[in-house]
Amino acid sequence: MKIYKTSTFILCLILSACQAKPKYLYEGQQRPRKEAAIVSVIGLYPERKLSLTVKRIDGQGVSRASEVHLNPGSHKFEIHLLHDAVKTESGTTIKTLETTIDHIVEVGHTYIPQATINGNRASVFLLDKGKNYPEECNPLLLWQSKNDSVIC
């Protein structure tokens, strides 16, 4: 992982996520959620000082979406990880990682970017939240609404 000192980088990440909407990476008519594989573009874990952003899927930029609707099958995900932000006198120190993973997604399932951290090493993956995961549980939508009453 790389370590950066910056506070504007985090601000840009947050601002780019404002007003995000779903993106559909398949041809034809828009389908109901239960008929597509859904990938959240953001995984937020403040208790672990960890955030992940899907930047590209199969080479197509998706970082300004809230979630991406896909056909089932194997896809290539470019993911950016931010971890362990610490404020210092000269700014903020943060560890970053950019990686690409291949993952098979299934119709009706929702996936959220996740990572396990061990020192300066990270293992990045998509966590399968199963079928019919509620749209209101999308990490970005939860963060934007700041609604603590939603149980996901």
Side-chain angles (χ1 to χ4, degrees):
M1 274 192 262
K2 296 179 183 175
I3 299 176
Y4 291 99
K5 287 188 175 184
T6 182
S7 56
T8 55
F9 182 73
I10 295 170
L11 180 60
C12 289
L13 175 68
I14 292 170
L15 290 176
S16 71
C18 294
Q19 303 302 322
K21 296 179 180 174
K23 186 167 187 169
Y24 304 89
L25 291 187
Y26 53 76
E27 293 185 20
Q29 297 286 344
Q30 184 176 324
R31 294 180 238 154
R33 293 175 64 79
K34 66 183 180 181
E35 295 178 15
I38 310 296
V39 177
S40 171
V41 172
I42 293 184
L44 297 172
Y45 309 95
E47 69 285 354
R48 296 172 51 205
K49 297 181 183 178
L50 173 66
S51 69
L52 298 102
T53 306
V54 178
K55 296 293 188 180
R56 296 183 165 291
I57 299 175
D58 298 331
Q60 295 188 43
V62 296
S63 60
R64 292 187 178 259
S66 58
E67 63 186 21
V68 180
H69 296 223
L70 299 167
N71 283 323
S74 181
H75 297 276
K76 187 175 292 291
F77 299 86
E78 294 176 35
I79 300 175
H80 188 213
L81 176 147
L82 299 173
H83 181 252
D84 221 9
V86 178
K87 286 188 175 187
T88 65
E89 290 180 10
S90 60
T92 302
T93 302
I94 191 161
K95 297 176 183 175
T96 69
L97 171 70
E98 294 197 28
T99 190
T100 301
I101 63 171
D102 291 311
H103 194 84
I104 297 172
V105 296
E106 298 178 50
V107 167
H109 288 242
T110 298
Y111 301 85
I112 298 176
Q114 176 62 278
T116 54
I117 308 291
N118 186 1
N120 284 331
R121 304 186 123 226
S123 177
V124 176
F125 57 96
L126 294 177
L127 180 64
D128 185 348
K129 299 302 274 186
K131 285 190 168 195
N132 303 316
Y133 189 69
E135 183 175 4
E136 61 270 15
C137 291
N138 174 299
L140 179 60
L141 300 178
L142 281 174
W143 178 79
Q144 285 177 334
S145 71
K146 296 180 179 33
N147 185 351
D148 294 334
S149 66
V150 176
I151 299 173
C152 296

